[in-house]
Amino acid sequence: MSQRVVLRNVAKSFGSVVALKAINLEIKEGEFITLLGPSGCGKTTTLRLIAGFNEPDQGQIFLGDEDITNLPPQKREIGMVFQDYALFPHLTVKENIAFPLRERRTPKEDIDSRVEELLELVRLAGVEQRYPSELSGGQAQRISVARAVAYPPRVLLMDEPLGALDLKLREVMQAELRRIQQELQITTVFVTHDQTEAMNMSDRIAVMRNGEIEQVGTAREIYNFPRSAFVADFVGRINLLDAKLSSKSEGIAELNILNYMKIRAKMTTEEELTSGPLCVGIRPEKLVIGVSGQESEFDNRIPGTVIRYSFSGNLVNVFVDVGADRPFLVEQRPDHTPLNSGTKTEVCWNAPDTLVLSAK
Ligand code: ATP
């Protein structure tokens, strides 16, 4: 029976290293949530605390309504999938999948039918008698998923399960894992540092940074309404500029950028615009390279010089020096006329596409 998971003020340090700083997270029953963030931000620690491999220094962990903070791992009924598959090399596929069922003394005839059912679930019927060394990476990972859900767990935890696979297989397996999760309707916590993978697979994403959860939301919420420059930069590509609020009225804010010009943003909440240092962010697909005579149709324009132009098949990346630390990236459709380096131009966009972000 799938269940919700609640982390309440959960903190964990290893000696002087603070791995988690009192995080709160509620994972709904049947939800697929991804912990996303750079190396060392605390993703694996969070997973290990839920699994019971580590104990928190403070806080509580609930599974359903039960406080499992001090419950040993084997009593938590949690399935776990690791990047290195962790299959038993000396056991066949069938014996690997059957292992958790045997441990729970499931009758032999039930084990046989359950293994068959699980191999069908992961679309690998026919490999029962093979050993793990006779499987491809994708197949091995399917078997480790089958083993993790053999005795239906209350929650499935997956730590970078696709990290060892090449890109094409990764994409196939993303869809496969999601299908399996949806078929079983099992509450799942998935860890990755790959933002595309997180966006492809998850109901919600928790973006982590330095032992804290910076933002939780659907892929769309996080991409379209990031709260901080960190989240905006980690999830997708973004052009960032330090900014100071100059004025605000009737839903429009004016902000100073680059020490010499003002741009407009559609106002979000008061709090976001007034607390702490700010910056503005504009997604590359929202920017347009100014075409003479049309620039005035846009709310915002910054002059700049094209420094690089690269074709990547479905789009063209134009890099424009606007006087910021990093060149601005403009994504254009590939049918646009190529621009030579050194071309003077303007990058243009509209006020609703200016994201006002916490710069911290
Ligand atoms: P990665 O993507 O590299 O796996 P992560 O986000 O999963 O990173 P964690 O493994 O949770 O990060 O580690 C968080 C911090 O805690 C890191 O600074 C790490 O070095 C530290 N840490 C984790 N486990 C231990 C441990 N057993 N002993 C000491 N420090 C640890």
Side-chain angles (χ1 to χ4, degrees):
M1 185 183 42
S2 179
Q3 303 213 308
R4 74 177 184 141
V5 180
V6 178
L7 305 186
R8 197 175 289 160
N9 279 320
V10 171
K12 179 72 186 170
S13 294
F14 297 98
S16 59
V17 178
V18 181
L20 285 181
K21 302 172 194 163
I23 62 165
N24 287 290
L25 182 63
E26 183 161 346
I27 303 156
K28 297 175 205 145
E29 188 176 325
E31 184 175 36
F32 189 120
I33 197 161
T34 295
L35 308 179
L36 173 71
S39 184
C41 68
K43 306 181 294 293
T44 297
T45 303
T46 308
L47 221 56
R48 290 179 62 83
L49 290 170
I50 298 173
F53 301 147
N54 291 116
E55 272 183 35
D57 301 332
Q58 69 165 60
Q60 290 166 293
I61 302 173
F62 294 88
L63 190 48
D65 294 325
E66 186 187 355
D67 183 341
I68 59 160
T69 318
N70 300 310
L71 203 63
Q74 65 277 17
K75 296 219 166 132
R76 294 190 183 196
E77 296 173 56
I78 282 174
M80 187 99 193
V81 176
F82 303 90
Q83 180 174 335
D84 62 2
Y85 323 129
L87 294 171
F88 304 117
H90 57 290
L91 298 184
T92 62
V93 162
K94 181 175 177 184
E95 289 162 345
N96 263 284
I97 300 177
F99 189 84
L101 300 170
R102 287 224 172 85
E103 282 211 310
R104 289 175 176 85
R105 307 199 185 290
T106 310
K108 188 178 173 316
E109 55 282 10
D110 293 351
I111 292 185
D112 288 348
S113 60
R114 180 76 180 135
V115 169
E116 214 170 288
E117 193 181 297
L118 286 158
L119 282 169
E120 259 163 46
L121 174 75
V122 299
R123 296 192 172 147
L124 270 183
V127 302
E128 294 79 334
Q129 297 314 322
R130 287 204 214 164
Y131 285 88
S133 60
E134 298 168 326
L135 301 172
S136 71
Q139 289 173 329
Q141 201 50 294
R142 284 167 200 251
I143 299 303
S144 73
V145 171
R147 187 182 59 181
V149 299
Y151 194 88
R154 294 157 86 183
V155 178
L156 180 60
L157 307 178
M158 296 200 250
D159 194 354
E160 301 255 5
L162 307 180
L165 307 179
D166 65 53
L167 184 64
K168 279 262 187 282
L169 185 55
R170 245 183 126 115
E171 284 171 0
V172 172
M173 286 297 291
Q174 285 167 11
E176 272 296 272
L177 290 185
R178 182 64 167 149
R179 175 189 62 78
I180 293 167
Q181 185 268 339
Q182 284 183 322
E183 259 180 52
L184 300 175
Q185 297 193 353
I186 187 164
T187 311
T188 299
V189 190
F190 187 92
V191 161
T192 184
H193 57 260
D194 178 338
Q195 45 118 352
T196 313
E197 187 160 288
M199 293 176 90
N200 282 345
M201 299 181 74
S202 322
D203 291 315
R204 284 189 307 154
I205 299 169
V207 183
M208 297 186 68
R209 177 194 195 187
N210 293 338
E212 288 179 292
I213 295 178
E214 186 113 339
Q215 187 169 355
V216 187
T218 63
R220 271 173 203 279
E221 283 163 356
I222 299 235
Y223 187 82
N224 292 329
F225 308 105
R227 285 211 201 107
S228 64
F230 172 82
V231 172
D233 206 16
F234 198 80
V235 180
R237 306 203 285 183
I238 189 115
N239 299 292
L240 293 168
L241 288 171
D242 289 333
K244 285 209 169 66
L245 185 63
S246 148
S247 69
K248 47 184 180 172
S249 69
E250 292 176 15
I252 294 286
E254 276 202 329
L255 298 113
N256 290 318
I257 55 158
L258 297 168
N259 295 323
Y260 78 97
M261 70 185 308
K262 280 194 171 61
I263 56 156
R264 306 175 89 200
K266 199 155 179 263
M267 260 202 320
T268 47
T269 64
E270 291 287 313
E271 191 194 334
E272 272 173 297
L273 289 182
T274 48
S275 61
L278 295 177
C279 67
V280 290
I282 312 107
R283 296 283 183 200
E285 70 275 17
K286 301 291 187 189
L287 289 175
V288 173
I289 296 283
V291 175
S292 188
Q294 284 179 11
E295 296 93 332
S296 58
E297 292 172 14
F298 292 92
D299 299 324
N300 299 310
R301 290 143 57 188
I302 320 183
T305 307
V306 174
I307 54 172
R308 199 154 64 84
Y309 186 91
S310 72
F311 174 73
S312 65
N314 59 337
L315 50 86
V316 160
N317 298 308
V318 187
F319 295 88
V320 182
D321 179 7
V322 296
D325 297 342
R326 289 196 278 183
F328 258 41
L329 168 63
V330 184
E331 280 177 7
Q332 286 198 316
R333 287 165 45 94
D335 48 5
H336 277 261
T337 321
L339 290 162
N340 294 326
S341 303
T343 306
K344 302 275 179 217
T345 186
E346 281 191 317
V347 272
C348 313
W349 75 97
N350 283 317
D353 297 325
T354 312
L355 299 171
V356 182
L357 305 163
S358 153
K360 76 173 167 69

